[in-house]
Amino acid sequence: MNSMTRNITFLSSLILFSCTKDDFTWNVKKLPCVITFYNSSEDFFSQVSMSGMTNNTFGTGPNNFYKDKIIKVKKGQAYDLQVNFQTTSPAVSVYAYFDWNGDGDFLDSDESVLISSNINFTSVTKSITVPSNAVKGEYYARFIVRAGPGSTTSSAPCIGGYYGEVEDYPLVIE
């Protein structure tokens, strides 16, 4: 059977069984960009806590995804976000990112929050309000600490560096 015959047979079977939006790639959730840090031995999160979810990590590694630590929020409500982190660098930036509209990135104007840019404030609580126009569903939250010479203190959610840590969490908007 040549490739053209195989393709026609495959397309015929799709029509015969009538695919729906719940089949194949429609169920694939867009993941946020992958970033890398190489050294988190001195610059890392020790705790992230929000909306009943608390994760004590104590610098488990430079790149982490905690799929079992779900942050559940409701549209229009405010929640306290508490982050504790350690850093030895005077050049530090700590950000939180929330994919409120479910588009798979953290690039929209209301999706990033500066937590700290001061080495003296390593335990910070911020009030985070879920936008009233947030899209219900399962998405992602990201927390980044960037530090040290050669690392950027950018607010960009997809830029890593040498020193620091990224922690990604499932975000459920109800």
Side-chain angles (χ1 to χ4, degrees), residues 62-91:
N63 308 294
N64 302 284
F65 177 53
Y66 297 102
K67 64 182 176 185
D68 61 334
K69 297 290 187 174
I70 301 167
I71 300 171
K72 293 182 181 180
V73 296
K74 293 186 180 192
K75 294 168 50 164
Q77 292 194 6
Y79 299 88
D80 282 341
L81 166 65
Q82 181 178 355
V83 295
N84 299 330
F85 60 94
Q86 175 179 316
T87 185
T88 58
S89 172

Side-chain angles (χ1 to χ4, degrees), residues 1-16:
M1 183 182 297
N2 66 33
S3 65
M4 183 179 237
T5 305
R6 274 195 302 259
N7 289 342
I8 292 171
T9 302
F10 175 73
L11 291 173
S12 297
S13 66
L14 287 179
I15 294 168
L16 179 64

Side-chain angles (χ1 to χ4, degrees), residues 4-168:
M4 183 179 237
T5 305
R6 274 195 302 259
N7 289 342
I8 292 171
T9 302
F10 175 73
L11 291 173
S12 297
S13 66
L14 287 179
I15 294 168
L16 179 64
F17 294 110
S18 67
C19 290
T20 68
K21 70 176 188 153
D22 296 321
D23 298 328
F24 305 108
T25 59
W26 290 280
N27 281 330
V28 176
K29 191 183 306 183
K30 185 176 178 186
L31 299 173
C33 56
V34 175
I35 65 171
T36 303
F37 288 97
Y38 298 100
N39 186 336
S40 65
S41 63
E42 296 178 359
D43 309 286
F44 56 85
F45 290 102
S46 56
Q47 183 184 68
V48 173
S49 181
M50 183 173 171
S51 184
M53 186 287 299
T54 298
N55 194 17
N56 297 303
T57 59
F58 299 104
T60 55
N63 308 294
N64 302 284
F65 177 53
Y66 297 102
K67 64 182 176 185
D68 61 334
K69 297 290 187 174
I70 301 167
I71 300 171
K72 293 182 181 180
V73 296
K74 293 186 180 192
K75 294 168 50 164
Q77 292 194 6
Y79 299 88
D80 282 341
L81 166 65
Q82 181 178 355
V83 295
N84 299 330
F85 60 94
Q86 175 179 316
T87 185
T88 58
S89 172
V92 64
S93 65
V94 181
Y95 278 87
Y97 304 90
F98 303 93
D99 186 9
W100 298 129
N101 63 1
D103 65 355
D105 65 42
F106 304 110
L107 301 175
D108 302 285
S109 63
D110 61 347
E111 293 184 333
S112 70
V113 178
L114 174 65
I115 302 298
S116 179
S117 60
N118 187 328
I119 191 172
N120 297 313
F121 299 111
T122 57
S123 181
V124 178
T125 301
K126 288 248 183 191
S127 180
I128 305 295
T129 301
V130 181
S132 59
N133 64 343
V135 178
K136 289 183 179 185
E138 296 180 21
Y139 309 112
Y140 298 97
R142 169 172 285 173
F143 303 91
I144 298 177
V145 58
R146 293 181 188 90
S151 291
T152 178
T153 55
S154 167
S155 65
C158 297
I159 294 178
Y162 191 77
Y163 297 104
E165 181 186 23
V166 60
E167 293 188 0
D168 287 334

